[in-house]
């Protein structure tokens, strides 16, 4: 398993253990070093924009002292929704590695596919998104699905 995806999974587990939100964790990497981490905090903050990727981008920007994350990579447990994908592009993230697909996100109750279709999909971003460690991320999603007091949003 990729060491950075492993850290994204740990971040997601931290979030679901705390009841912060869905099983989405992300890390931003620059020059082989993690410079930002984040997990879904939608429920914790009552804020629909607190997705793992957004939180990781904010963390990296603060640490690096810049909004421009050129030469950075993002590793995330779930394929980014249109909002997060746009944030990655806006921040100049070089490439995104994701574990579970948008279809996997849908299977555990998230509406990413609906919005992705509405926004026109992602066919033009052929080499920008790459699946990585799907099996391990699916195990995380299964753990999330089995939570007793899981709240869908």
């Amino acid at each position: 398993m990729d060491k950075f995806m492993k850290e994204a999974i740990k971040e997601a587990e931290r979030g679901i253990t705390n009841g912060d939100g869905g099983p989405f964790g992300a890390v931003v990497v620059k020059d082989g070093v993690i410079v930002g981490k984040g997990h879904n905090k939608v429920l914790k903050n009552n804020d629909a924009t607190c997705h793992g990727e957004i939180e990781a981008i904010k963390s990296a920007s603060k640490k690096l002292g810049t909004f421009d994350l050129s030469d950075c990579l993002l590793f995330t447990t779930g394929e980014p929704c249109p909002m997060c994908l746009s944030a990655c592009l806006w921040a100049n993230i070089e490439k995104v590695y994701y574990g579970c697909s948008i279809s996997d996100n849908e299977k555990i109750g998230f509406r990413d596919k609906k919005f992705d279709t509405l926004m026109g999909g992602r066919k033009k971003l052929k080499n920008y998104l790459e699946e990585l460690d799907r099996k391990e991320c699916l195990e995380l999603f299964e753990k999330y699905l089995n939570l007793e007091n899981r709240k869908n949003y």
Side-chain angles (χ1 to χ4, degrees):
M1 174 193 280
D2 181 87
K3 68 181 180 179
F4 298 123
M5 186 61 79
K6 187 174 185 175
E7 290 302 314
I9 290 171
K10 284 182 188 177
E11 189 66 26
E13 287 175 336
R14 188 174 8 267
I16 62 174
T17 298
N18 294 336
D20 294 345
F24 305 105
V27 296
V28 176
V29 176
K30 182 175 176 99
D31 299 326
V33 176
I34 294 175
V35 295
K37 293 182 180 184
H39 63 264
N40 186 293
K41 295 181 181 174
V42 168
L43 297 177
K44 177 182 180 180
N45 295 346
N46 288 313
D47 182 341
T49 67
C50 290
H51 292 197
E53 297 91 339
I54 302 287
E55 297 296 307
I57 288 169
K58 287 179 182 180
S59 172
S61 293
K62 184 175 182 178
K63 182 171 184 170
L64 297 174
T66 181
F67 59 86
D68 184 359
L69 299 180
S70 295
D71 301 321
C72 289
L73 306 172
L74 186 131
F75 294 78
T76 181
T77 57
E79 187 174 359
C81 71
M83 176 183 70
C84 292
L85 181 56
S86 294
C88 290
L89 291 165
W90 198 257
N92 297 315
I93 298 282
E94 185 178 308
K95 187 166 180 120
V96 174
Y97 295 92
Y98 64 90
C100 294
S101 68
I102 284 186
S103 295
D104 296 323
N105 296 349
E106 182 178 42
K107 290 174 187 171
I108 61 169
F110 291 89
R111 304 172 291 158
D112 303 35
K113 191 172 185 178
K114 172 185 173 183
F115 297 116
D116 198 52
T117 301
L118 180 68
M119 303 299 278
R122 46 194 71 208
K123 292 179 181 110
K124 293 180 182 177
L125 299 170
K126 292 177 186 167
N127 296 318
Y128 187 69
L129 297 164
E130 185 175 323
E131 188 176 278
L132 178 70
D133 294 326
R134 182 169 183 259
K135 179 180 174 261
E136 290 82 358
C137 290
L138 281 172
E139 290 170 8
L140 170 73
F141 277 29
E142 187 67 30
K143 180 178 178 179
Y144 175 76
L145 266 178
N146 291 323
L147 290 174
E148 281 187 33
N149 297 318
R150 179 174 51 89
K151 182 177 179 182
N152 281 340
Y153 52 93

